């Protein structure tokens, strides 16, 4: 049934901020308190927020934490993490401590190359045209390079052109890949500008139409590897280490488990991505595609126990991140996050993120194969319920402990306990 209201609001984005807020307030029946809460931009100045995205009516804060204990490539890091899920930061810190053996977690990223795609349709003799594109390779690379002299000056820029003829249900198309070394940027802007610029040249060469001209988030030329080797004692002994290996084997055999296994890895990676204002959707999309590169969805990491009594973890995934440009430099908190992290390049940031993913994964599967993940979660959940039920100060832990002890972690019980405590009863 129609409510009689229309969400068709012409020029909403052009309205002054106050007017946008007024419209939404009226639409949703927001109270003044709710509007004030929404309008609290916290540590994101409103003018910056309004420049970042459109139709802004407020801001939303997430907790910003640091994971401790990380030793990566022989260097210590405090890792900023932004996430709404309890236990993730504690788990990362805990696993990082277990992996402080030797140089700690080793991580290695290569050249920071992104792929820009141009899909050419409506062309005849596609293979001959593909060859013609290769003949014009240098001219295309030169023209692409002209679009971003600053990138070229910093040592980056277009590196190569690859061409494929791909069959579709409407006949063959030509897919052109422009390979660009994007250095310390995530690269979407630079690459998108370049592919849009060379598209008309490709149309001239092929006689076809350059339909899609955009970066591929399947960043297979930006793969990062992270590995770690730690004595089994550091993870709770041989039996626990063997079960961690078993969990890894199970994930390799069962895609339903592999997705959750990888979700645990992404818990850590995306939390760092959020803290440093990365395009986390790109990272997720690329990572999951990589997990399915064999045609079957697989875990991004593996765990093995070796004959010398060490647990070995290995993780490999593409990471498209930047430390210049985009929101990283615009959001004041992202800048602070990068300062805390102390990374000097996109390559280093991606290495840290992969290391965090590996530690996060270890923490998750170690918990799963020992006490399970609910125990820790429920303790935190109980505290949240206690707060929601009105507990403050010491009462929060008292109510939470009682709920855990009684095995009744529910809001109604939290409320009952708070009321009893406030009446002066012993709980
Ligand atoms: C929860 O956010 C993540 C885990 O489910 C990951 C895993 O199962 O490996 C614990």
């Amino acid at each position: 049934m129609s409510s009689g209201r229309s969400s068709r609001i012409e020029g909403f984005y052009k309205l002054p901020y106050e007017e946008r807020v007024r419209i939404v307030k009226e639409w949703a029946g927001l109270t003044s308190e709710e509007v004030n809460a929404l309008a609290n931009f916290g540590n994101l100045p409103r003018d910056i927020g309004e420049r970042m995205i459109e139709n802004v009516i407020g801001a939303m804060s997430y907790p910003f934490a640091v994971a401790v204990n990380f030793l990566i490539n022989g260097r210590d890091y405090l890792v900023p993490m932004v996430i709404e899920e309890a236990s993730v930061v504690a788990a990362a810190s805990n696993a990082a401590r277990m992996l402080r053996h030797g140089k700690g977690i080793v991580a290695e990223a290569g050249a920071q190359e992104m792929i820009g795609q141009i899909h050419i349709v409506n062309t005849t003799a596609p293979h001959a045209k593909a060859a013609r594109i290769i003949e014009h390779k240098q001219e295309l690379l030169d023209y692409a390079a002209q679009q971003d002299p600053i990138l070229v000056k910093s040592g980056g820029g277009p590196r190569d052109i690859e061409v494929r003829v791909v069959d579709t249900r409407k006949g063959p198309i030509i897919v052109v890949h422009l390979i660009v070394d994007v250095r310390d940027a995530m690269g979407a802007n630079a690459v998108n500008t370049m592919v849009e610029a060379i598209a008309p040249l490709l149309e001239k060469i092929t006689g076809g139409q350059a339909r899609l001209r955009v970066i591929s988030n399947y960043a297979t030329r930006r793969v990062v590897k992270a590995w770690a080797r730690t004595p089994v004692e550091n993870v709770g002994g041989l039996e626990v280490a063997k079960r961690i290996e078993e969990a890894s084997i199970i994930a390799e055999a069962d895609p339903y488990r592999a997705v959750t296994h990888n979700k645990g890895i992404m818990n850590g990676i995306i939390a760092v991505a959020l803290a440093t204002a990365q395009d986390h959707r790109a990272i997720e999309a690329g990572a999951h595609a990589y997990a399915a590169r064999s045609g079957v969805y697989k875990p991004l990491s593996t765990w093995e126990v070796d004959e010398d009594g060490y647990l070995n973890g290995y993780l490999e995934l593409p990471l498209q991140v930047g430390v210049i440009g985009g929101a990283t430099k615009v959001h004041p908190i992202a800048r602070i996050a990068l300062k805390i992290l102390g990374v000097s390049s996109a390559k280093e940031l991606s290495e840290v993120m992969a290391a965090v993913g590996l530690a996060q994964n270890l923490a998750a599967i170690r918990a799963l194969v020992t006490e399970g993940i609910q125990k820790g979660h429920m303790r935190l959940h109980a505290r949240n319920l206690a707060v929601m039920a009105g507990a403050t100060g010491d009462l929060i832990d008292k109510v939470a402990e009682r709920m855990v002890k009684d095995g009744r972690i529910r809001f109604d019980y939290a409320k009952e306990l708070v009321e009893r405590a406030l009446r002066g009863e012993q709980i």
Side-chain angles (χ1 to χ4, degrees), residues 85 88 257 260-261 263-264 267 361 364-365 368 373 377:
E85 186 177 334
V88 169
R257 173 56 209 157
T260 324
H261 178 106
K263 191 272 185 184
N267 271 346
N361 179 223
I365 53 180
L368 283 168
I373 58 156
H377 267 301

Side-chain angles (χ1 to χ4, degrees), residues 98-366:
M98 296 174 193
L99 298 176
R100 286 185 69 85
H101 184 72
K103 282 203 294 179
I105 304 168
V106 182
E108 199 181 284
Q112 299 295 297
E113 289 177 351
M114 293 298 289
I115 299 166
Q117 294 196 292
I118 299 126
H119 292 91
I120 301 169
V121 298
N122 298 337
T123 175
T124 52
H127 292 92
K129 302 290 168 54
R132 220 169 283 168
I133 293 170
I134 297 296
E135 279 172 13
H136 286 81
K137 186 189 269 192
Q138 200 50 52
E139 179 190 336
L140 290 160
L141 289 174
D142 290 346
Y143 194 61
Q146 281 173 33
Q147 311 308 313
D148 199 333
I150 294 173
L151 178 65
V152 174
K153 216 170 146 200
S154 71
R159 292 284 184 262
D160 201 4
I161 298 243
E162 292 172 347
V163 192
R164 283 177 297 147
V165 175
V166 171
D167 276 326
T168 75
R169 66 186 159 89
K170 294 239 169 140
I173 60 166
I174 301 175
V175 184
V176 180
H177 281 187
L178 174 69
I179 315 298
V180 184
D181 184 334
V182 294
R183 294 276 140 160
D184 289 319
M186 182 272 183
N189 268 335
V191 172
N192 291 343
T193 303
M194 288 180 191
V195 288
E196 284 193 7
I198 65 168
L201 300 182
L202 289 165
E203 288 186 337
K204 225 154 109 195
I205 295 166
T206 60
Q209 288 157 355
R211 190 67 80 227
L212 307 175
R213 299 146 297 156
V214 74
I215 200 165
S216 169
N217 290 118
Y218 192 23
T220 53
R221 288 173 168 262
R222 235 174 163 178
V223 171
V224 194
K225 293 161 186 172
W227 60 95
R229 183 169 188 263
T230 196
V232 292
E233 292 74 37
N234 285 0
V235 297
L238 184 60
E239 180 53 31
V240 173
K242 279 190 171 160
R243 287 193 201 175
I244 290 169
E245 178 175 34
E246 190 181 48
S248 171
I249 292 167
I250 291 170
E252 281 157 35
D254 174 17
Y256 278 82
R257 173 56 209 157
V259 172
T260 324
H261 178 106
N262 289 343
K263 191 272 185 184
I265 294 170
M266 300 317 281
N267 271 346
I269 290 176
I270 296 303
V272 182
L274 282 169
T276 56
Q278 303 298 322
D279 182 343
H280 50 96
R281 290 84 56 208
I283 295 171
E284 286 275 10
H288 295 295
Y290 198 68
R293 66 192 180 283
S294 67
V296 180
Y297 191 94
K298 294 277 181 188
L300 292 162
S301 69
T302 52
W303 292 91
E304 291 168 334
V305 179
D306 66 27
E307 59 288 358
D308 300 321
Y310 286 84
L311 176 68
N312 297 264
Y314 178 80
L315 168 69
E316 189 181 306
L317 84 167
L319 283 174
Q320 42 207 306
V321 296
V323 294
I324 57 164
T328 42
K329 278 281 144 68
V330 173
H331 199 300
I333 303 306
R335 279 208 305 270
I336 296 170
L338 284 172
K339 194 169 176 184
I340 295 171
L341 204 47
V343 293
S344 57
S345 63
K347 175 181 178 307
E348 188 182 355
L349 175 59
S350 72
E351 289 169 346
V352 169
M353 287 168 81
V356 174
L358 187 67
Q360 200 74 61
N361 179 223
L362 171 62
I365 53 180
R366 184 180 174 278

Side-chain angles (χ1 to χ4, degrees), residues 63-67 79-83 88-89 92 267-269 271-272 275 356 360:
F64 182 116
V66 283
V79 180
M81 297 176 93
V82 168
I83 190 162
V88 169
V89 179
N267 271 346
I269 290 176
V272 182
V356 174
Q360 200 74 61

